[in-house]
């Protein structure tokens, strides 16, 4: 091999070594940057969780003090005021408390009392039409499906009902729960409930861990309140407009707005949901907490989720 050729090979080898070294150095720097960002993100996420849990404890304390101060729950109270922007170290917090007893409890449709079921079904049908989820035939069929999803037997509720034999014939088979719903998202498993119907209903329904719960008329959203009665007359409309500043202070004062065939109503609540969000650095933590306030003092955390439903 000639001297010039040897020099050419040596030069190419040197260039190759430099290129490899450069690539390795770049990879190391990139890997180091990724590790730094990952570490920072994990740290921000951890901070976010601490902040979210702090908000949870804060809200439970507010609910405890609220019940000690009065026996009426309404939209003018401190717990009902949303926090849209609360600056904290390296981020911001947001949150609101929802009175779940202001919503229609889908588990009420699982009652074994026939007269009570009729009241709840009629309310559900009116709410269904009010929010334009569908027509009355769809509403009645879905109410029957919900009842069968919750009740412990395998007997369909009329022609529209659905038990295991209906769901086991699907392409992806499953069984009816035969117990109260733990989440309103279970509605998507009930015969006849489409994603469109679910989206229309979800802001106005809840899945409380009880059956035969009353609706708080001081906090119920407009569609839920106005559909409690067969015909929402001017007096009920007037109460809706005035209740934020003048909520009902005793049940007797609003009882006359609703006929005896309406579902039970109340002016107190025991079940609440905290929807909190912590934005720390580049991390976001969303926490949804189910809070139970059983009596004059104390509040209990029944469950939490990172999913809104």
């Amino acid at each position: 091999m000639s001297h010039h050729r040897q020099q050419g090979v040596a030069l190419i080898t040197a260039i190759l070594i430099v290129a490899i070294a450069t690539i390795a150095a770049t990879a190391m720097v990139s890997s180091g940057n990724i590790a730094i960002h990952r570490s920072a993100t994990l740290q921000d996420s951890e901070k976010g969780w601490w902040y979210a849990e702090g908000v949870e404890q804060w809200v439970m304390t507010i609910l405890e003090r609220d019940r000690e101060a009065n026996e009426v729950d309404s939209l003018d109270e401190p717990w009902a005021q949303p926090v849209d922007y609360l600056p904290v170290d390296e981020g911001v917090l947001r949150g609101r408390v929802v009175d779940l007893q202001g919503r229609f409890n889908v588990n009420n449709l699982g009652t074994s009392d026939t007269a009570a079921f009729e009241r709840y079904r009629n309310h559900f049908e009116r709410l269904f039409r009010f929010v334009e989820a569908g027509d009355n035939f769809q509403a009645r069929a879905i109410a029957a499906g919900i009842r069968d999803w919750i009740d412990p037997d395998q007997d369909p509720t009329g022609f529209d009902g659905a038990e295991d034999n209906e769901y086991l014939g699907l392409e992806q088979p499953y069984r009816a729960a035969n117990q109260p719903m733990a989440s309103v998202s279970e509605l998507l498993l009930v015969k006849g409930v489409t994603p469109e119907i679910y989206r229309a209903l979800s802001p106005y329904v809840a899945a409380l861990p009880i059956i035969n719960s009353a609706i708080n008329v001081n906090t119920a959203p407009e569609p839920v309140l106005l559909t409690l009665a067969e015909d929402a007359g001017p007096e009920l409309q007037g109460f809706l407009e005035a209740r934020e500043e003048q909520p009902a202070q005793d049940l007797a004062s609003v009882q006359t707005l609703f006929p005896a065939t309406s579902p039970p109503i109340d002016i107190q609540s025991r079940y609440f949901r905290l929807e909190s969000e912590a934005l720390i650095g580049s991390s976001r933590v969303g926490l949804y907490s189910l809070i139970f306030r059983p009596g004059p003092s104390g509040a209990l955390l029944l469950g939490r989720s990172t999913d809104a439903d």
Side-chain angles (χ1 to χ4, degrees):
M1 182 182 294
S2 69
H3 178 68
H4 291 294
R5 191 171 182 182
Q6 288 179 342
Q7 286 183 328
V9 171
L11 180 60
I12 292 173
T13 302
I15 292 172
L16 181 61
I17 292 172
V18 171
I20 292 173
T22 301
I23 293 171
T26 302
M28 291 174 64
V29 171
S30 177
S31 178
N33 287 335
I34 291 173
I36 291 171
H37 285 301
R38 183 185 297 118
S39 177
T41 299
L42 289 173
Q43 189 176 32
D44 289 341
S45 181
E46 186 71 18
K47 286 182 181 178
W49 274 108
W50 280 108
Y51 277 123
E53 289 181 353
V55 171
E56 188 178 73
Q57 292 300 316
W58 177 51
V59 165
M60 290 173 69
T61 300
I62 290 176
L63 288 171
E64 289 176 10
R65 291 177 178 174
D66 172 70
R67 179 42 51 90
E68 292 171 359
N70 62 79
E71 296 184 354
V72 175
D73 294 306
S74 55
L75 297 174
D76 62 342
E77 296 183 309
W79 64 262
Q81 312 311 310
V83 176
D84 295 324
Y85 187 89
L86 179 63
V88 295
D89 187 28
E90 299 181 22
V92 63
L93 303 179
R94 299 187 187 123
R96 67 169 184 155
V97 177
V98 176
D99 180 4
L100 294 181
Q101 285 193 241
R103 299 186 175 193
F104 179 90
N105 179 17
V106 292
N107 286 327
N108 282 350
L109 290 169
T111 181
S112 58
D113 185 311
T114 301
F117 174 71
E118 289 294 324
R119 288 195 295 269
Y120 296 132
R121 183 181 65 182
N122 290 338
H123 184 201
F124 179 77
E125 290 175 5
R126 293 192 294 268
L127 176 63
F128 196 92
R129 296 192 304 270
F130 192 98
V131 300
E132 299 182 347
D135 58 37
N136 197 59
F137 295 104
Q138 289 175 291
R140 183 163 289 248
I142 290 173
I146 294 173
R147 186 185 198 187
D148 289 335
W149 183 266
I150 296 170
D151 67 25
D153 61 47
Q154 288 295 319
D155 302 320
T157 301
F159 177 78
D160 296 316
E163 293 286 359
D164 283 353
N165 59 346
E166 182 81 30
Y167 300 115
L168 290 176
L170 300 175
E171 185 176 346
Q172 295 183 335
Y174 53 88
R175 294 182 181 274
N178 291 334
Q179 63 183 11
M181 293 186 181
S183 167
V184 292
S185 60
E186 284 187 54
L187 284 172
L188 288 165
L189 298 174
V190 174
K191 175 186 175 183
V193 179
T194 64
E196 293 75 21
I197 290 174
Y198 176 75
R199 283 194 293 270
L201 288 174
S202 58
Y204 309 108
V205 298
L208 303 184
I210 53 173
I211 292 177
N212 292 318
S213 63
I215 287 180
N216 186 334
V217 294
N218 280 335
T219 62
E222 179 179 347
V224 178
L225 179 67
L226 294 184
T227 54
L228 274 167
E230 184 69 40
D231 179 26
E235 291 184 347
L236 183 55
Q237 290 280 358
F239 170 70
L240 173 66
E241 295 169 5
R243 66 176 181 170
E244 194 156 339
E245 295 182 359
Q246 296 178 321
Q249 296 298 318
D250 64 273
L251 199 55
S253 66
V254 289
Q255 196 77 59
T256 56
L257 299 176
F258 307 96
T261 53
S262 295
I265 63 171
D266 207 338
I267 54 174
Q268 295 180 345
S269 297
R270 295 189 296 166
Y271 293 92
F272 302 84
R273 186 176 74 181
L274 167 64
E275 302 173 353
S276 59
E277 182 181 39
L279 302 169
I280 308 298
S282 59
S283 176
R284 175 194 175 276
V285 173
L287 188 61
Y288 303 87
S289 310
L290 176 60
I291 300 171
F292 174 56
R293 190 181 58 184
S297 61
L300 304 173
L301 179 66
L302 296 186
R304 57 161 65 134
S305 171
T306 57
D307 191 320
D309 295 327

